[in-house]
Amino acid sequence: MADVKVPTLGESITEATLGEWLKNPGDPVQLDEPIASLETDKVSVEVGSPVAGVMGEQLVKVGDTVEVGAVIAVVSEGGAAAAPSPAPAAAPAPA
């Protein structure tokens, strides 16, 4: 799993508000695909996924204030490869 952290937002900006989740838990995500939107009084920033995989738990809610460097979510690496594989199909019964 990879942590999704609040990126550096500017020289004097130390916190932001989570404006919107762009992905829901269980959604597939690509590397650097926007998964959340952060807002400050000076800038709006989309936070990209640190890895390709599946969106995991969202650790903050829309409207919460978060500091630069804080972990806001997790992404499971590998996408479908991280999911359990289905059981092999049973062989047909002899006739």
Side-chain angles (χ1 to χ4, degrees):
M1 286 209 233
D3 291 338
V4 179
K5 296 182 180 181
V6 176
T8 301
L9 301 168
E11 191 173 306
S12 62
I13 301 173
T14 60
E15 62 184 21
T17 301
L18 181 66
E20 177 182 13
W21 284 108
L22 304 174
K23 292 289 183 175
N24 294 309
D27 288 349
V29 295
Q30 298 300 314
L31 176 65
D32 293 329
E33 181 178 6
I35 59 174
S37 172
L38 299 175
E39 301 170 358
T40 72
D41 57 343
K42 297 181 181 181
V43 67
S44 288
V45 175
E46 290 184 337
V47 179
S49 176
V51 295
V54 177
M55 183 71 186
E57 183 180 3
Q58 298 169 342
L59 304 176
V60 298
K61 297 176 185 156
V62 172
D64 285 355
T65 300
V66 292
E67 293 186 14
V68 170
V71 176
I72 60 172
V74 293
V75 174
S76 298
E77 295 182 61
S85 34

